[in-house]
Amino acid sequence: MIAFLIKLAMDQIKYDDFAKIEFLVGKIKEVIEVEGSEKLLRLQVDFGEESCRTVFSGIKKWYSPADLIGKKTVFVTNIKPRKIMGEESQAMILGAEDEEENMSILFLDKDLPVGSKVF
């Protein structure tokens, strides 16, 4: 019942609002455990641009660096950069979490090129 009430309380958005979000396929090239943090991993992600972007994510509880290197997944790439541990995080990885706090990154089921648009 509580989850239903939360869903009702969330504001609905128009398609134009959703269309402002840029979702791109990125390939994780490097993953480093952030020193001094129990949650954070620092990812270097290739979006087909001149250089990789740095992305910090609090997924260390569920994923090791070896689980992620070389994987392609979906990121929000036009989110305003945010300072984390003294560095800029330049995108946001997408994942899902259930009520038991199990988490899953949304990996692709086909090998699409980096920089592919997601809609």
Side-chain angles (χ1 to χ4, degrees), residues 14 60 67 88 101 113:
K14 296 178 183 176
K60 189 173 172 180
D67 294 331
E88 253 188 22
E101 295 186 19

Side-chain angles (χ1 to χ4, degrees), residues 18-111:
F18 176 77
K20 293 177 186 176
I21 303 169
E22 181 180 64
F23 299 99
L24 294 180
V25 172
K27 183 174 184 177
I28 302 169
K29 303 296 263 181
E30 179 182 75
V31 182
I32 298 170
E33 294 185 22
V34 176
E35 214 172 295
S37 174
E38 294 180 13
K39 297 180 180 182
L40 289 175
L41 294 177
R42 181 183 181 273
L43 293 72
Q44 288 296 307
V45 183
D46 178 7
F47 293 103
E49 301 166 329
E50 190 172 309
S51 60
C52 289
R53 293 193 196 189
T54 300
V55 178
F56 285 89
S57 185
I59 57 174
K60 189 173 172 180
K61 176 179 174 180
W62 301 280
Y63 292 94
S64 72
D67 294 331
L68 300 173
I69 294 173
K71 299 286 173 83
K72 291 181 182 177
T73 186
V74 178
F75 294 81
V76 174
T77 55
N78 65 339
I79 193 164
K80 184 176 179 179
R82 181 175 167 199
K83 283 271 188 182
I84 299 176
M85 303 295 282
E87 286 187 72
E88 253 188 22
S89 184
Q90 302 164 323
M92 185 174 78
I93 196 167
L94 294 184
E97 186 178 62
D98 66 13
E99 291 177 6
E100 282 84 43
E101 295 186 19
N102 295 305
M103 191 271 185
S104 179
I105 291 175
L106 307 176
F107 293 113
L108 304 177
D109 68 346
K110 295 198 176 24
D111 188 22

